[in-house]
Amino acid sequence: MNTENKFTLLHRLLHWIMVVSMSVLFITGFLRMYWMGKQAVLDVLSSQNLGLTSDQAKDVYKALREPMWQWHEVFANVMILAFLARMIYMLSKGIRFPNPFKKGMPIKYYLQGFTYIYFYTFVLISAVTGICIEKGFFIQWEDTIEAVHKWGIYWFPIFVGLHIVGVVLAELSDKKGITSKMIGGD
Ligand code: HEM
Ligand code: HEM
């Protein structure tokens, strides 16, 4: 069991790269699905009586979406690389958080370990479904793949909530200063 909290430079870099990447992926995904989504933009355009045809209105929507969407695509690549680097690091150096499949640990270590397994499992699912959407793989299951990818709208905020509670509890109990170690090392 590894509950020691020494974070190497690589480990810390990967953590903060993932924080930024996941935040960008979530925000751009959310905006595309809701506030700046196709239907939202088309509704505003039609309410303005601009006399646009449906094709013109869709072109306006796509042109508006384009610069925002490039961020989802760029950070998807960054996240996939960070995830692969984390997996290689894990295989070579051990998992660096409590292994939830080991027996005989205090309950909080199981919760901590499972929170991270949950995170990496869903990152894997998001990455695989995202690549399928981008490359047009398994086009016959397009709707299902897109729907599974969009689960991100739920699983990511759930992870953030669990993670913040976990880190605060660790700070308040036996791991005081752990946040500072995740930033500046030991
Ligand atoms: C965190 C929550 C996330 C949300 C809400 C989200 C949302 C979306 C949405 C709405 C699409 C467009 C699907 C369509 O074509 O209809 C999409 C595409 C995509 N996503 Fe995500 N996503 C998330 C996380 C991720 C992650 C973690 C990755 C990769 C590690 C990723 C990679 C991709 C890729 C590669 C595409 C295809 C891009 C394209 O060709 O346009 N996404 N995502
Ligand atoms: C919102 C995006 C975030 C994501 C996706 C994320 C992800 C993760 C992951 C996956 C781990 C396990 C580390 C590992 O792989 O070995 C971790 C650990 C940690 N994170 Fe975050 N994190 C986020 C935000 C934050 C924030 C805002 C803080 C600071 C307040 C923070 C502080 C920590 C600390 C202190 C640890 C080590 C705790 C431990 O060993 O259980 N994280 N984070």
Side-chain angles (χ1 to χ4, degrees):
M1 171 177 71
N2 186 353
T3 53
E4 191 196 344
N5 293 104
K6 272 194 161 181
F7 304 119
T8 62
L9 181 62
L10 176 63
H11 193 166
R12 284 179 276 137
L13 267 179
L14 288 175
H15 178 262
W16 295 109
I17 289 172
M18 289 197 280
V19 173
V20 174
S21 308
M22 283 308 302
S23 304
V24 171
L25 286 163
F26 176 76
I27 291 167
T28 50
F30 173 88
L31 288 175
R32 176 170 172 161
M33 287 164 68
Y34 300 105
W35 292 354
M36 303 288 282
K38 193 178 199 170
Q39 205 50 51
V41 174
L42 294 184
D43 286 349
V44 171
L45 287 174
S46 75
S47 74
Q48 298 301 306
N49 298 320
L50 300 169
L52 294 177
T53 64
S54 139
D55 282 347
Q56 284 170 326
K58 282 183 191 151
D59 286 347
V60 171
Y61 160 69
K62 283 192 185 143
L64 285 174
R65 184 184 76 187
E66 187 53 25
M68 176 190 84
W69 201 245
Q70 282 173 3
W71 284 68
H72 198 87
E73 294 178 346
V74 168
F75 279 94
N77 292 323
V78 174
M79 189 60 205
I80 289 168
L81 289 178
F83 174 78
L84 291 177
R86 185 67 185 93
M87 292 303 119
I88 293 169
Y89 187 78
M90 213 180 265
L91 290 173
S92 63
K93 295 264 161 92
I95 66 173
R96 302 276 138 183
F97 54 75
N99 180 347
F101 301 106
K102 276 199 173 162
K103 296 208 169 91
M105 291 188 298
I107 183 105
K108 63 180 177 185
Y109 291 148
Y110 283 108
L111 296 176
Q112 187 190 3
F114 272 119
T115 306
Y116 298 137
I117 301 276
Y118 163 86
F119 174 74
Y120 287 120
T121 305
F122 277 106
V123 169
L124 179 65
I125 293 173
S126 300
V128 171
T129 49
I131 290 169
C132 289
I133 296 169
E134 191 185 357
K135 306 278 180 212
F137 295 153
F138 305 108
I139 201 87
Q140 66 274 34
W141 295 313
E142 195 182 10
D143 290 347
T144 314
I145 289 174
E146 265 180 44
V148 171
H149 189 79
K150 289 175 185 168
W151 288 350
I153 222 71
Y154 304 108
W155 76 253
F156 181 63
I158 292 173
F159 167 77
V160 173
L162 292 172
H163 188 41
I164 301 295
V165 170
V167 170
V168 169
L169 289 179
E171 283 282 352
L172 294 177
S173 60
D174 58 338
K175 301 260 171 69
K176 200 161 176 46
I178 195 175
T179 307
S180 144
K181 284 186 190 167
M182 188 45 106
I183 297 172
D186 292 300

